Amino acid sequence: LVFLLLPLRPIYPCRIAAVSCATTRNKSAMLLGRSLLLCALVAQAAAFLTACPRATQPRWTLAPQFSNKVERDPALPAAEFLQRVMEEADVDMDKKTATGAMQAVFRALSETLKEGKRVQIKDFGTFERKYRAARKGRNPQTGEELDIAGRYSASFSPAKKMKDALNEDESKA
C-alpha cells in the first residue's frame, strides 16, 4: 500500500492522508484500498465541514456588478410634488389649474434660459445656462476616439439659505 497526500482546498488549505493501492495487483486489496480511500475522504470532509463554518458557504459566486451610478432615493413624481405645493400654499384650486400653472412656470424658466438670461429666486437659488466645450471622448466598447460636440445645459446653484436648510439636520447631530 502506498500513502499519498491529496489536497482538499475548498476554502482553507488542508491535506489528508489517503490510502491508494495503484501499485497492487491483488484485486481485493485494490478494492479494499479504494473503499478505505473513500471512507477517509468522507470522514476528512465531514471533519473539515464541522471545523470550518465558512466551508459550507458556496465556493463559487457571481461577481458583484459594479456601477458608477449612485444609489438614490426614488424621485418624487410631479403629481405628488404638485399636491405638496398646493397644501403648502393652502390654495383651493383644482388639479388641472394647478398643473397648468406649474407647467407655465417651467416653460417660462426654460424660455428665459434659452435666451441666455439667469433666473435668480431669492433664498432658493439661481438657474443659468452654461456652455460645455467640445471635447474628445472614447467609445468604451471599441476604444475608438470620438468628437463630442459642445452644447448648452442648465445649471442650478442653491442659495446659502437653501444650503443651510438642507444641512440643518446634520449640524444638530
Side-chain angles (χ1 to χ4, degrees), residues 30-89:
M30 194 177 336
L31 289 174
L32 177 64
R34 285 184 182 166
S35 62
L36 284 174
L37 174 66
L38 183 61
C39 289
L41 285 172
V42 168
Q44 187 66 31
F48 180 75
L49 290 175
T50 55
C52 304
R54 284 183 53 201
T56 57
Q57 295 175 354
R59 185 171 177 190
W60 303 104
T61 58
L62 292 174
Q65 297 296 315
F66 293 103
S67 174
N68 60 357
K69 293 184 180 177
V70 177
E71 291 284 330
R72 297 182 189 174
D73 292 333
L76 183 69
E80 288 181 37
F81 176 71
L82 185 62
Q83 186 66 34
R84 282 188 182 186
V85 169
M86 288 173 32
E87 288 171 4
E88 186 72 27

